[in-house]
């Protein structure tokens, strides 16, 4: 099992920035990739960004390309989501996710952190 703890959400004005953090624990050696999804009430969960553990390849949803950056901390485990030029439509609960190597699907989810962007 892998546990994920997110932090860094909050309230920000449109055009501002926030950085989310996610710290994995448990069987972290099994992680193939990590990422972020987001969800607002009444909508499906939306892929935001992903990062492979080895090689560091990154992937982004179309709605955040050029504004958000996913990265891995120098210590190796923490994953960050730097969010710039935030828009009211970015308001959502953001979930950190992890995919183990044997499934390569996002089987592990954090509790989520609220991001609210005011206009």
């Amino acid at each position: 099992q892998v546990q994920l703890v997110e932090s860094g959400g909050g309230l920000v004005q449109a055009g501002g920035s926030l950085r989310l953090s996610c710290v994995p624990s448990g069987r972290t050696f099994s992680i193939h990739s990590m990422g972020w999804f987001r969800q607002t009430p009444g909508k499906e969960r939306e892929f935001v960004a992903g990062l492979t553990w080895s090689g560091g390849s990154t992937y982004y949803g179309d709605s955040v390309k050029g504004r958000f950056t996913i990265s891995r901390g120098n210590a190796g485990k923490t994953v960050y989501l730097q969010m710039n030029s935030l828009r009211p439509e970015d308001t959502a609960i953001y979930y950190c996710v992890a995919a183990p190597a044997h499934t390569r699907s996002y089987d592990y989810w954090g509790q989520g952190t609220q991001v609210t962007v005011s206009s």
Side-chain angles (χ1 to χ4, degrees), residues 10-18 38 40 46 61-68 83-92 94 114-119:
L11 173 65
V12 65
Q13 288 187 333
S17 299
L18 278 176
R38 66 186 183 186
T40 56
E46 177 188 7
D62 289 341
S63 62
V64 306
K65 283 180 183 176
R67 301 186 298 123
F68 291 11
M83 305 184 293
N84 298 328
S85 300
L86 283 162
R87 306 166 180 167
E89 54 264 39
D90 294 317
T91 295
Y94 284 72
Q114 176 72 47
V115 171
T116 302
V117 184
S118 64
S119 57

